[in-house]
Amino acid sequence: MRVLEGLKPERFFYYFEEISKIPHGSYNTDAISDYCLKVGQSLGLECWKDEFNNVTIIKEATTGYEQAPALIIQGHLDMVNEKTPDSDHDFEKDPLKLRIEGDWIHATGTTLGADDGVAVAYVLALLEDKSIAHPRLECILTSDEEAGMDGAFGYDASRLTGKRMLNLDSDSEGIFLTSCAGGIRYQLLLPLRRIESAGSVVKLSLTGLMGGHSGVEIDKYRGNSNILMGYVLNRLSESIMFGLISVEGGLKDNAIPRDAFATLMIDSEEFEALKGRVAELESELQKDFAGIEENICLSVSEPKEQEVAFIYPDDQKKALFLLMQVPNGVQAMSMNIPGLVETSLNLGVVETTNEQLSLAFALRSSVESRKHALGAKLANLITFLGGTYETVGDYPGWAYCPNSELREMMAEVYRDMYGKEPVIQAVHAGLECGLFSEKIPCLDIISTGPTALDIHTPDERM
């Protein structure tokens, strides 16, 4: 029996469950792209797939709507792959394990992929439905949105005729989005030298944080495990001698990291002092985040004697300085829209190799110059320390259109259907709307979708 069988609209949930069987994280969209293309072909519709794995499916207007303006419907194929520490899920081959709890759909141990499997399921269900009268529909499912909007960047819009676009990448029913921030990814790379030695090795673990979408939950001031681990290591260095071996935390730059780990070499005689200091810092963090992070946990493993290569002391100082000094979180609030974050960044991933320490950030701002000013701050910091940086996925914001016929039409329909006013809102998270508005002049866009909570985390539910 299908997990979502009986839920309505039936074909939407049918397709959502079908795509949940297909691994489709960013940069792994071949299979889901092919699946959507085959559905379009089976329906006898004009459809094509490009070199970026973007899929376009055209459904011509029904009788009586031939002269109506075409409508573009757009969403993305990929999802953010996040899982709980105890999950053995393999995102390269395993289907998602859907379950229903009350009115909510979850995936056990992993993200659900409602962001943006919702769009894929809506599009496929709509295209096969022969009962709905409609204008020409130009349906676009892009690839790798979560990893830098690569699909939208590469999309060729020359075959489209529509000047109105419905984006299905929103996550709050009854809220219509009309603008969003632009963004860019930064990766800071600090070179490391190492010293081979034998000693007592311990592992610091910072776990239990809530995490979240770095564009949606960034203003909730949840703990960032990478930033907090940098703080913990710096505080420990004040009283405990240790050699840093590695720091690791987070899985995606656009997800607020929930866990972080550091491996240290210490003098075995210092272990009791270290354990006591870790307990003090755990208590401090729990007090600092009371009411926000209820399950924060800082612990240290028992020491093991090992041959290791710890980081050269001068390079360790630079690494700890970098982890302590990098900005993170909300940097500025909008001066024009009350309550809207204007500029932020998220240290999503920290990784250590033998040769370097890597820090990956997602930066967002609705003011282009401030986005690049924040990036320049990161660039200056890492180059001052003798490191380098790389940037990818510099995408534009989506500017508010004061005169939107599509927005007014959707608001009128919503009032008629539900007897209440929709909320018209800007969002700090990034959408592909800005890229499409650059490709198609005078494009009228609005974004909508059903309610999904805690996206980009294993607690995601729809």
Side-chain angles (χ1 to χ4, degrees):
M1 180 177 175
R2 303 177 67 85
V3 176
L4 306 184
E5 188 170 355
L7 298 183
K8 297 182 184 298
E10 291 182 5
R11 297 305 287 175
F12 166 80
F13 286 108
Y14 167 82
Y15 280 116
F16 188 84
E17 188 158 357
E18 285 299 293
I19 64 171
S20 296
K21 300 173 184 177
I22 305 170
H24 56 282
S26 300
Y27 300 129
N28 184 31
T29 56
D30 287 350
I32 193 171
S33 179
D34 288 341
Y35 174 79
C36 294
L37 185 67
K38 288 176 181 177
V39 172
Q41 291 170 337
S42 71
L43 295 171
L45 302 175
E46 179 186 1
C47 49
W48 65 89
K49 170 182 169 180
D50 65 20
E51 61 185 298
F52 302 96
N53 276 347
N54 300 315
V55 175
T56 306
I57 308 175
I58 307 297
K59 188 176 186 182
E60 294 297 342
T62 54
T63 303
Y65 283 78
E66 296 90 347
Q67 302 306 312
L71 176 66
I72 300 169
I73 302 178
Q74 187 267 325
H76 63 85
L77 295 163
D78 60 316
M79 64 176 281
V80 169
N81 291 343
E82 282 267 357
K83 62 182 181 179
T84 57
D86 61 344
S87 172
D88 61 358
H89 186 89
D90 186 342
F91 282 108
E92 295 298 311
K93 63 180 183 180
D94 294 341
L96 300 175
K97 299 174 184 176
L98 302 185
R99 72 178 194 277
I100 298 174
E101 292 184 7
D103 291 332
W104 296 94
I105 299 169
H106 303 248
T108 299
T110 68
T111 37
L112 174 64
D115 177 15
D116 197 18
V118 161
V120 180
Y122 269 139
V123 162
L124 298 181
L126 178 61
L127 289 173
E128 75 166 19
D129 195 315
K130 297 180 180 179
S131 68
I132 300 174
H134 59 79
R136 172 181 163 98
L137 300 179
E138 300 177 336
C139 300
I140 307 168
L141 298 172
T142 53
S143 67
D144 303 327
E145 186 268 355
E146 301 288 5
M149 303 192 182
D150 294 5
F153 268 106
Y155 188 81
D156 180 359
S158 62
R159 297 168 68 176
L160 304 179
T161 63
K163 295 291 186 180
R164 301 182 301 173
M165 188 175 98
L166 183 60
N167 169 276
L168 297 177
D169 195 15
S170 178
D171 58 10
S172 297
E173 190 275 330
I175 296 178
F176 297 157
L177 301 182
T178 56
S179 67
C180 74
I184 188 171
R185 261 91 168 172
Y186 267 76
Q187 184 177 27
L188 309 188
L189 303 169
L190 182 69
L192 302 174
R193 296 166 293 173
R194 291 185 177 269
I195 301 172
E196 297 278 351
S197 180
S200 297
V201 176
V202 298
K203 184 175 182 179
L204 276 176
S205 299
L206 179 60
T207 60
L209 299 173
M210 294 179 67
H213 187 301
S214 68
V216 178
E217 273 86 31
I218 200 72
D219 62 341
K220 296 179 173 61
Y221 298 97
R222 296 176 179 176
N224 178 307
S225 61
N226 292 330
I227 292 294
L228 294 180
M229 181 57 80
Y231 172 76
V232 166
L233 290 172
N234 274 277
R235 290 296 303 276
L236 289 176
S237 69
E238 295 170 358
S239 57
I240 306 291
M241 292 285 292
F242 64 83
L244 181 63
I245 299 170
S246 67
V247 187
E248 311 286 340
L251 297 174
K252 304 291 179 183
D253 57 20
N254 57 358
I256 301 170
R258 296 171 287 114
D259 308 304
F261 308 93
T263 307
L264 315 177
M265 188 178 77
I266 63 169
D267 186 322
S268 59
E269 294 182 359
E270 290 238 68
F271 178 67
E272 290 303 320
L274 172 64
K275 192 162 63 171
R277 193 71 185 99
V278 166
E280 292 172 357
L281 287 169
E282 180 188 50
S283 178
E284 179 183 314
L285 292 175
Q286 290 170 345
K287 290 177 182 177
D288 289 348
F289 286 90
I292 303 174
E293 299 282 3
E294 298 299 333
N295 299 306
I296 190 167
C297 176
L298 180 65
S299 63
V300 60
S301 68
E302 292 293 320
K304 292 183 179 180
E305 295 300 314
Q306 290 179 239
E307 285 277 349
V308 293
F310 65 89
I311 298 170
Y312 192 80
D314 284 351
D315 293 348
Q316 176 174 313
K317 288 180 181 179
K318 291 180 180 181
L320 296 185
F321 179 86
L322 180 63
L323 288 168
M324 188 69 178
Q325 296 301 323
V326 288
N328 183 78
V330 175
Q331 303 296 298
M333 300 297 290
S334 172
M335 300 295 289
N336 300 313
I337 304 176
L340 178 67
V341 178
E342 177 211 87
T343 304
S344 77
L345 78 167
N346 175 62
L347 175 54
V349 184
V350 173
E351 295 177 312
T352 311
T353 67
N354 282 334
E355 296 80 24
Q356 65 185 17
L357 175 67
S358 169
L359 279 61
F361 295 82
L363 280 66
R364 306 174 191 268
S365 183
S366 50
V367 178
E368 193 73 4
S369 60
R370 291 182 180 174
K371 178 181 74 177
H372 290 294
L374 183 55
K377 181 179 290 188
L378 293 178
N380 287 343
L381 179 58
I382 191 64
T383 53
F384 178 79
L385 293 173
T388 58
Y389 66 93
E390 300 171 356
T391 65
V392 294
D394 187 356
Y395 62 90
W398 165 32
Y400 176 78
C401 177
N403 301 305
S404 167
E405 292 183 2
L406 181 60
R407 182 175 68 240
E408 295 306 317
M409 184 186 304
M410 284 191 64
E412 181 180 350
V413 170
Y414 189 86
R415 284 191 292 268
D416 289 344
M417 290 182 69
Y418 299 109
K420 58 183 179 181
E421 289 289 331
V423 176
I424 308 298
Q425 198 172 82
V427 67
H428 185 57
L431 297 170
E432 294 159 296
C433 302
L435 285 169
F436 279 98
S437 65
E438 288 188 344
K439 294 174 183 289
I440 305 172
C442 303
L443 184 63
D444 191 358
I445 314 175
I446 198 162
S447 179
T448 187
T451 296
L453 302 179
D454 290 322
I455 57 180
H456 295 192
T457 81
D459 294 323
E460 181 183 9
R461 57 202 182 277
M462 174 180 68

